[in-house]
Amino acid sequence: MRAIWKGAVSFGLVSVPVKLYSATESHDVSFRQVHAKDGGRIKYQRVCSIDGEEVAYADIAKGYETEDGEMVILTDDDLAELPLTSSREIAVEKFVPSDQIDPMLFEKSYYLEPEAVGAKPYALLRQALLDADRMAVVTVALRQRTTVAVLRVRGDVIVLQTMMWPDEIRQPDFTIDTGEIKDAEVKMAHMLVETLAGDFNADDFEDGYAAAVDAVVKAKIEGGEVKRTPTSTKTGGEVVDLLAALQRSVDAAKTARGEAPAEPEKAEKKPAKKTPAKKKAPAKKKAS
């Protein structure tokens, strides 16, 4: 893994220098939009919704849309005045009981690795969090924006999990009419829960969709159902295509200099050099 951030965890007068690593990665299946006829990728243009003209990247600005649908253009000077920070500190604000934080607030997870000089205080903080069954609520600046996060223990490692702001959690705007719930129905529900009770093991589950897509793609490749485009991912056929392309390039260069392209028989002299190597293999077998 590659560290994406370096800083220090500070609580009280203690400072623990750490490195930050992304703890998760997405394996979601993604498709490209292509032309069904030849497999060419679909390109998109930056077109203004008002005049219908294509807009150069240099003419694109940041806009904030109001609730009324009006657009406020923000200039570079406006953005420069925003309260950004480049602090390298993970400041512990308080230690709270683990069950007080709604999991819906959790956003992205990172592993914290201590620098060599911070290994002991790192271990002490990790043990203290475990023994107290608490999480550390912290503030940290990532990508120049200050956010709230928590430190919690996962195995032998301290994990930093960024959190969403409270107003980013939507409240349900619907009501549920349950009607009358009978005691017998509740008892049956309890029996069902007990029947399916068990311990959670993430390895018990797999992404069946991704595996199915992979199987379909492999079957199509083996069946020759592949569209060759200039941007195709290189496969085993690369060698033949590359040699042909190189030969065409050499011929074109010779033609430009007024020289004749290589004759077919001359091009075949190269494999002739490999003939002695082929004869050596049987000789070794006889010796053994």
Side-chain angles (χ1 to χ4, degrees):
M1 293 190 292
R2 182 175 62 87
I4 61 173
W5 185 91
K6 288 184 179 182
V9 178
S10 63
F11 55 103
L13 299 178
V14 180
S15 180
V16 186
V18 295
K19 297 177 183 177
L20 201 68
Y21 300 87
S22 291
T24 60
E25 59 183 0
S26 175
H27 290 164
D28 192 19
V29 176
S30 60
F31 299 100
R32 296 187 181 277
Q33 289 190 321
V34 298
H35 188 189
K37 178 181 178 181
D38 53 23
R41 297 180 184 178
I42 304 301
K43 295 183 178 180
Y44 294 90
Q45 295 178 318
R46 296 179 291 269
V47 178
C48 177
S49 61
I50 296 178
D51 59 24
E53 295 183 3
E54 186 174 358
V55 181
Y57 186 79
D59 295 331
I60 296 178
K62 288 183 171 61
Y64 183 90
E65 188 172 3
T66 67
E67 293 182 357
D68 297 332
E70 296 180 332
M71 196 65 66
V72 179
I73 307 299
L74 299 178
T75 66
D76 290 340
D77 291 338
D78 295 328
L79 297 174
E81 294 179 0
L82 296 179
L84 302 179
T85 179
S86 58
S87 171
R88 290 289 175 174
E89 181 184 42
I90 300 175
V92 175
E93 305 296 336
K94 61 177 66 176
F95 295 97
V96 302
S98 299
D99 59 3
Q100 285 189 358
I101 300 180
D102 187 344
M104 284 189 71
L105 289 169
F106 293 145
E107 193 171 18
K108 189 167 177 55
S109 302
Y110 301 90
Y111 288 130
L112 287 183
E113 179 192 21
E115 300 280 7
V117 295
K120 187 172 183 178
Y122 179 97
L124 291 173
L125 174 59
R126 179 187 63 205
Q127 194 60 47
L129 291 173
L130 277 176
D131 294 343
D133 190 21
R134 288 177 179 266
M135 294 184 185
V137 177
V138 303
T139 52
V140 57
L142 296 176
R143 300 180 182 88
Q144 295 186 314
R145 288 188 60 185
T146 299
T147 186
V148 178
V150 297
L151 300 182
R152 67 177 185 85
V153 180
R154 185 176 189 270
D156 295 331
V157 181
I158 295 177
V159 175
L160 180 145
Q161 285 188 278
T162 57
M163 299 171 65
M164 304 183 75
W165 298 104
D167 61 358
E168 293 179 316
I169 302 298
R170 301 176 64 186
Q171 298 299 321
D173 58 357
F174 55 85
T175 57
I176 302 175
D177 183 10
T178 61
E180 181 185 358
I181 299 179
K182 299 178 181 179
D183 292 340
E185 295 170 333
V186 174
K187 184 177 180 179
M188 186 61 69
H190 288 170
M191 290 178 60
L192 176 60
V193 170
E194 289 301 320
T195 302
L196 298 177
D199 295 322
F200 175 73
N201 183 358
D203 293 333
D204 292 340
F205 304 90
E206 63 178 14
D207 188 352
Y209 180 79
V213 171
D214 186 57
V216 171
V217 171
K218 285 182 177 179
K220 284 185 171 290
I221 292 176
E222 292 173 358
E225 298 182 54
V226 179
K227 297 289 187 182
R228 284 290 176 187
T229 66
T231 56
S232 289
T233 301
K234 302 302 181 185
T235 63
E238 175 190 3
V239 177
V240 177
D241 296 339
L242 180 58
L243 289 176
L246 289 173
Q247 184 61 60
R248 288 194 297 270
S249 299
V250 171
D251 291 344
K254 287 186 175 182
T255 301
R257 293 198 302 265
E259 300 177 16
E263 296 296 332
E265 57 269 18
K266 291 182 180 179
E268 290 176 0
K269 287 182 180 180
K270 202 168 187 178
K273 294 181 181 179
K274 296 183 179 180
T275 304
K278 291 181 180 179
K279 291 181 179 179
K280 288 181 181 180
K284 290 182 180 179
K285 290 182 180 179
K286 290 179 181 179
S288 61

